[in-house]
Every structure is written in structure tokens, then in C-alpha cells.
Amino acid sequence: MKRSNAFRSIFWLATMFAIAFLVRAESGDKRTRTPQTMSAPRAPIQIVDQDGQPAVNGVPSAISTTVNVTVGGGNGFQFVPDTVNISVGDTVQWTWATSFHSVTSGPPCVADSQYCSPNDMNCATGTLSNSGTVYTHTFNVSGTYSYHCAAHCSLGMTGVVNVSGGCAPSGWSAGPNLPTVLVRAVGVYFQADGNFYTMGGRTADVAGSDFQHVLRYSPTSNTWTQMGVTLPDNQMNNMACGVLAIGGTPSIYCVGGSAAGQTTATARVFFYNPVTDTATTLTAGDNWPGDSAGTILPGGFAETGNKMYILGGFNINVASTNQIWQFDPTAAVGSKWLQRVNTPEGIMYAPTCAINGIIYVGGATDFQGGLVIDTTNSFSFNPTANTTGAIAPIPRATGETRGLTFNGQMYVMGGGRVAPNPSNEVDIYNPGTNTWSTGMPFMNARRNFPTDTDGTTRIWLAGGYEPSAPAADMEIFCAAGASPTPTATATATATPTVAITPTATPTATHTPTPTPTVAITPTATPTATRTPTPTPTTTVTATATPTATATSTPCTGRCSPTPRPQPTPRPRP
């Protein structure tokens, strides 16, 4: 009997152990299968402060400049938190909670080799690390940095690091020279890798001087590199270029252009992928219809809503044009272009940018009496309503330069051809008040130079004519965390003073009405190593919504008085 009881006890103990083992195995099996059916991750919330810059939240560790991220947290296939917002000079520390994951910079499943675990080497291989691994990276340049797990990016294991502020010295300073003198190239900031690129251009004004290459400036190393790609043709002058995306993958698209010393232009479109360093020409069915004559170059250009807009143009040695064309990279072949309303007047080489979905033009070149002249022609274009509107004219005549979107305002960068131009003046347009002011001038006056900005902290420019000879020097503007304080220029009869509550966005009325930028307060703080107490706990109420009504008299026809210029050389397209 004793032996029977002992046997019965052993049997029950073995049975209980087997059941426990099977339950744990089934639970582990479910954990393994779960990611295969997980839904696509939500888009990260972009949190901005009262200046429109990324707010610093994240989850700081004991060291205030370090933010912790768990690799393989949540359901085992997540970065927690998946979005952190830090300042330049801060460090992100990733700690592996589960095995077989990587931190690989770049859009999902495409390594861009900026940084990667475990040691920033051989990023393209996507080295997988085990539980307990710790990897850190310090971010020294503002921008948006996407990353993913090389093994599980298709399951939505992705993250974003938003880096704001923190550059020095404040104001304009000299950067490294371009590898060659360069004019009539297009400058493009590529947010995906934080670098500034120049597309095409030429090194002189003689036939055969076209530059069929891409130059990359790295803010991290403060150096220029000529990329290996050779661009599709020699029609590299006066193109329109900007960043557009297909399926979440951004590329630099370029439209039109001409060759040095020639009087014809191309209508072709190509895109350049900085990650693969390759250029692809679209089919002839996607050519820019604005160059149907074969002699027209793009005028002003801007991108908004993942579409490029070309405003006006230059019919070589004939006249400016006034068509507006919209390019959608995602549309079917032969359907990518759509003609919109015409501009109020013909414009070419026009400083143009998009702010909150509205496109603004501040100054433009024109062709009159066989001469290229500068004007103060200024207006807005609303792509959604397909309408143009009047804005206060830029205080000085200019052209042959770019308009840049910087902290919610348009910066018109020097330019101009007729004496006393070219200029180094920076004119700033505030769409909320419909007024102009002047910012800090750059050092060397120039025109037809590549320039662009990261939108909040830095502006880059290089090369161009100084004032008539091709140059190679570079200048960099640093806002040191905020926009420079402009000097007001009286361009309207009344400039109201607006008292702004820091977290409220004032509504300004003008023609046209731009879509306001809203500072979004998230409803939840991402969970990380420890949960910080959210700072904004009060509901902001704008006690008064100031309305800045521009009282300048809208102009009709050709707005600016255009003095008869001294004879200048015929334009070199």
C-alpha cells in the first residue's frame, strides 16, 4: 500500500509538471507568431513647440543628455519609445530586451549607413545583436533620423529620432569650398540623411562646361564629396529640383534644364536617389509640358503635399512665361502633370517657397526690351483652391535666386542682376502679417547659386556668380536654436504688434489665407524605461486671437516700378 501511494504521488507530480511545461510552450509559441499578424505601426506624432521646432521629450536617463530606447520591447518587435525628440549633442542609448534585432539607420528596410549597431560599421549588413546589448549614438546635426530593425522592418519595427537646435557659431560663417566653381546648380536639403546636395550646374559660361555630377555636403564632417553618379545628360543648367517620395522612399526630382551656351531646353524629368547614388530618367510621357516649344526653362518652383509646382519660366531670349504646372510622382505614366491657373504676370528665375500648403513668390526676373531685369513682382498661389492672390511686394527688386521656408517664413536670398545687384541681402516675408523685414545678410553678394535649408536651424549656400565670375566659396547660417531677429522694413501702412501666448498659434488674416500650423499636444507620452511626468498639463486658451490685417494696397498688372536698367549682356540660359 505504501508503495502504491508513493507511486500515485510521483505520477501526479509528473503530470502537473508536464501541464506547466505545455502551457509555457504554448505561450511562447503565441509570442513568436504574434508579430506576423500585427497591424502596421502608427505614424509617429510630431510634437512642436511655440517656435514650430520639435519639442524635446523622450525619456531621459540619469544623465540628462541621454535618452533610453528599449530594443525588442512591447510585443518583442518594437522600439520603445519608437519616437524620441532630442537636441543636438544629445545621445540615444538602445538596450536590447530580446535577441536578434538591429538598429539600422534609414527608411524601412533601406540602410543609409549613417549609424547602426553595434559599432556604426558595415551598416548595410544589418548585424543582429542579442539580449543585453547596449548601443549608443550621439546626434550632432539637427534633422529627422529614421531607423529600423534589419530583420523585422517588414513587421513595422521602426523608429525615429528628431534632433533640433544646437548649432554654432550663431549667424553666418564660412564653410569649406566646393570642389569646383559652380553656377546655376540647384541646392537641395535631403532630410532623410541630413545632407545638402547640389544638382548639376556648370563651371563656366562656355559650351561644354556643364557639370553632370552631384556634390554632397555633410554637416557632420563639414566636408564636400563628389558622388559617383553621372547625371543623364548635359542639360544641367537652371533646373527645378526638390524632394518627393514614392511609397515612403524619398528622392530628388529634377525637371528641365539647358546646356551652357545653347538656346534650347529639355523637358525631361529624372530623379536621384542619394542612398543608392543612382539617377533614373522618367519616360517621355512624363516630360514637363511647359517646355513644349523646346526652348523654355522652369521659373520658380516649390514642393508641397508631395507634389512639385513650377511657376512661370523663361522662353530663352524671348520672354518670361506665366503657366503653373503641378507634378505628382505617384500618378500613372503620362498623367503626372496637371496645368493650373496662370500666374498674374510672367516670371522667371523667381524666388519661390511653400509655407503651410501655400506657395509664395517674392521678386522675379523678367525679360524686357531684350534685357534681363529684376522686379518686385510678388504674389501667392493656393494649390488646393487653384487661385492666386496679392501679397505685399518685396521691398527690393531681385531675381535669379531662391526663396527658402525657414521657421514658417520665406527667406529671399540675395540675387539679382541689375546694379546694385547682385546682393547679399536676406528679405523675410511673414505670411501671417503680410509684411517684409530684413534678416542678417550673408557675406558675399551673389546670384544663381545653390542654396537650401533644414527649415529650422541652418541655411547653406555656395558658388554662384560673385558678382559675375563663377565662385566656389560656401557660407552657412546657424540660427542657434531660434530665428534671427529681423529688422523691420515699412512695407505696409500698419504693422500690428501681436502678443503671442507661447503655446498658441495666432491666426492671421491676409490674402490668401494659408493653412495655419498647429502645435499638437499628444494625448499620451510614449512608454520607455521610466515614464516622465508630462510638462504641459494645462489647457491653453488664447485670450485674444490677433488678426493682422495687411493694409498695403494690392497691386495690379506689373506691380513694381521697374527703372530702365543699363544695358546688360544678353542672358546665358
Side-chain angles (χ1 to χ4, degrees):
M1 177 66 70
K2 290 183 179 180
R3 181 178 301 174
S4 176
N5 290 338
F7 178 80
R8 187 179 293 110
S9 298
I10 293 171
F11 172 79
W12 283 111
L13 286 173
T15 301
M16 293 173 65
F17 177 79
I19 292 172
F21 178 81
L22 289 173
V23 170
R24 289 177 58 86
E26 181 180 359
S27 175
D29 183 59
K30 288 181 179 179
R31 285 196 302 269
T32 302
R33 290 181 311 219
T34 298
Q36 303 298 329
T37 60
M38 65 184 292
S39 60
R42 292 179 299 171
I45 297 173
Q46 180 69 33
I47 306 170
V48 298
D49 60 20
Q50 65 269 23
D51 297 318
Q53 300 189 26
V56 178
N57 60 357
V59 183
S61 66
I63 302 175
S64 61
T65 56
T66 299
V67 174
N68 294 319
V69 175
T70 300
V71 179
N75 61 12
F77 294 86
Q78 293 176 298
F79 296 105
V80 180
D82 61 0
T83 302
V84 294
N85 300 302
I86 62 176
S87 295
V88 167
D90 288 349
T91 298
V92 177
Q93 177 175 290
W94 288 270
T95 303
W96 273 244
T98 56
S99 297
F100 307 113
H101 300 302
S102 78
V103 170
T104 304
S105 67
C109 303
V110 180
D112 63 14
S113 298
Q114 289 190 81
Y115 61 94
C116 62
S117 61
N119 55 11
D120 293 328
M121 301 294 290
N122 301 317
C123 294
T125 61
T127 303
L128 305 182
S129 299
N130 294 324
S131 176
T133 299
V134 175
Y135 162 66
T136 62
H137 184 82
T138 300
F139 292 83
N140 295 314
V141 179
S142 63
T144 299
Y145 298 85
S146 300
Y147 66 94
H148 58 274
C149 171
H152 305 110
C153 55
S154 62
L155 300 179
M157 191 170 177
T158 62
V160 176
V161 179
N162 294 314
V163 186
S164 63
C167 65
S170 182
W172 288 98
S173 60
N177 281 2
L178 292 162
T180 179
V181 296
L182 190 65
V183 298
R184 301 184 182 276
V186 184
V188 179
Y189 170 65
F190 194 67
Q191 186 182 45
D193 64 15
N195 295 322
F196 170 62
Y197 292 83
T198 70
M199 305 297 296
R202 68 190 188 216
T203 58
D205 288 334
V206 296
S209 61
D210 308 289
F211 193 69
Q212 288 183 242
H213 305 287
V214 175
L215 299 178
R216 180 186 68 197
Y217 170 74
S218 167
T220 303
S221 62
N222 193 35
T223 57
W224 285 97
T225 302
Q226 180 171 314
M227 306 303 286
V229 69
T230 298
L231 297 178
D233 51 51
N234 68 337
Q235 312 288 295
M236 290 290 110
N237 301 277
N238 307 308
M239 297 185 295
C241 300
V243 178
L244 302 171
I246 295 181
T249 300
S251 297
I252 300 173
Y253 282 76
C254 292
V255 179
S258 64
Q262 304 302 307
T263 56
T264 59
T266 182
R268 63 92 185 89
V269 179
F270 73 87
F271 66 87
Y272 170 70
N273 186 330
V275 176
T276 59
D277 190 29
T278 56
T280 303
T281 303
L282 303 189
T283 64
D286 290 326
N287 283 357
W288 172 44
D291 184 32
S292 57
T295 58
I296 300 174
L297 296 168
F301 56 92
E303 299 78 47
T304 183
N306 199 41
K307 296 179 177 64
M308 177 185 288
Y309 294 87
I310 296 180
L311 289 78
F314 178 23
N315 193 354
I316 301 172
N317 291 335
V318 177
S320 58
T321 66
N322 64 354
Q323 293 180 343
I324 298 178
W325 288 93
Q326 170 190 290
F327 175 79
D328 181 353
T330 65
V333 173
S335 302
K336 290 181 168 59
W337 289 99
L338 175 64
Q339 187 170 7
R340 313 298 283 161
V341 66
N342 286 345
T343 62
E345 52 265 322
I347 57 172
M348 60 192 200
Y349 303 141
T352 309
C353 75
I355 303 173
N356 297 328
I358 306 297
I359 296 175
Y360 296 90
V361 173
T365 306
D366 201 357
F367 195 81
Q368 296 179 8
L371 299 175
V372 173
I373 64 170
D374 310 318
T375 77
T376 60
N377 291 337
S378 304
F379 62 91
S380 64
F381 167 62
N382 184 329
T384 301
N386 191 30
T387 56
T388 61
I391 68 171
I394 187 172
R396 67 181 177 94
T398 190
E400 300 185 71
T401 185
R402 289 281 301 278
L404 306 178
T405 303
F406 195 70
N407 288 305
Q409 301 182 94
M410 175 166 66
Y411 280 47
V412 177
M413 311 297 296
R417 175 186 292 254
V418 180
N421 285 332
S423 172
N424 63 345
E425 182 171 311
V426 177
D427 293 274
I428 304 173
Y429 176 71
N430 184 331
T433 59
N434 190 34
T435 57
W436 290 88
S437 59
T438 54
M440 186 180 298
F442 47 90
M443 292 176 282
N444 297 331
R446 63 186 83 205
R447 64 177 173 88
N448 300 103
F449 54 93
T451 181
D452 207 354
T453 176
D454 63 8
T456 59
T457 307
R458 289 178 174 83
I459 297 173
W460 300 276
L461 60 82
Y465 297 102
E466 293 184 22
S468 57
D473 62 302
M474 180 187 194
E475 298 184 43
I476 303 170
F477 179 78
C478 164
S483 302
T485 302
T487 302
T489 301
T491 57
T493 57
T495 303
T497 301
V498 181
I500 301 175
T501 302
T503 54
T505 302
T507 301
T509 302
H510 71 102
T511 304
T513 303
T515 303
T517 300
V518 180
I520 302 173
T521 303
T523 57
T525 303
T527 303
T529 307
R530 63 179 179 85
T531 303
T533 302
T535 300
T537 58
T538 59
T539 300
V540 178
T541 302
T543 57
T545 304
T547 301
T549 303
T551 59
S552 57
T553 303
C555 35
T556 59
R558 295 199 178 275
C559 304
S560 61
T562 305
R564 173 61 62 183
Q566 295 298 318
T568 55
R570 294 181 70 81
R572 299 185 177 94

